[in-house]
Amino acid sequence: MFLDNEGIMRATEKSPGGEMVRARLEAARIRGARVATFAVVLAEIIRGEPRDARVHRILNKIKVEDVTPEIGIRAGELIGTAGLHTDQSVDAALAATATLYVERHERLGHLQEALIITSDLPHLSKLTEGHNRVRVAHVDRLPGR
């Protein structure tokens, strides 16, 4: 499971939507599934304000991936394939992280799926098009556990 900025922010909310995301994170943790975001997303959500404490509580429960050259190259390729602009670089890096994760597992003979939780379905769906084992779900309409 991979979270964009909205997935993380929703998990910090004291609302039914926040409870739903936290329940999905906990279910994934119990199953031993990987739950991650990547470092660039932090620039979208950390503001040096008191509310950051809630964000850090969520970040402490997930893996924050580095943006490697491999992810950067794949993100650029996904942007080009999708016909999007560079203003989608953060979403593209998240899509790249998910697609590379699935591909690494496939090379090892494991059929692993990735779920990206977002509020930006149009862009992330376009960026992951053709990657059948990467699913994109709206943060307000998560599939069953």
Side-chain angles (χ1 to χ4, degrees):
M1 181 182 309
F2 295 88
L3 301 170
D4 76 349
N5 63 330
E6 185 61 30
I8 293 169
M9 292 309 296
R10 186 61 50 87
T12 69
E13 294 176 2
K14 293 179 180 178
S15 68
E19 290 174 18
M20 181 175 56
V21 173
R22 287 190 302 278
R24 281 300 299 261
L25 295 176
E26 182 62 15
R29 186 194 63 75
I30 290 169
R31 284 192 328 270
R34 179 185 198 93
V35 180
T37 191
F38 66 101
V40 175
V41 169
L42 303 182
E44 295 182 318
I45 58 177
I46 300 292
R47 292 294 175 259
E49 299 171 353
R51 74 164 178 89
D52 290 351
R54 293 189 318 261
V55 174
H56 285 288
R57 278 194 288 279
I58 300 301
L59 293 175
N60 287 334
K61 296 177 182 181
I62 67 175
K63 178 152 180 50
V64 179
E65 303 276 352
D66 292 330
V67 179
T68 64
E70 180 184 29
I71 290 171
I73 289 167
R74 174 63 61 88
E77 292 169 350
L78 292 174
I79 288 170
T81 300
L84 297 174
H85 299 343
T86 57
D87 62 349
Q88 295 303 313
S89 295
V90 173
D91 284 347
L94 185 61
T97 302
T99 59
L100 289 166
Y101 172 78
V102 167
E103 289 171 8
R104 272 189 217 102
H105 282 274
E106 286 175 350
R107 283 193 298 274
L108 296 171
H110 304 118
L111 295 180
Q112 186 69 38
E113 290 190 351
L115 172 65
I116 298 174
I117 298 177
T118 183
S119 64
D120 189 356
L121 280 179
H123 290 133
L124 277 158
S125 294
K126 196 161 189 170
L127 288 162
T128 59
E129 193 171 293
H131 297 274
N132 298 332
R133 300 198 69 75
V134 177
R135 296 180 305 138
V136 179
H138 193 282
V139 69
D140 290 331
R141 295 181 294 280
L142 294 176
R145 294 181 193 161

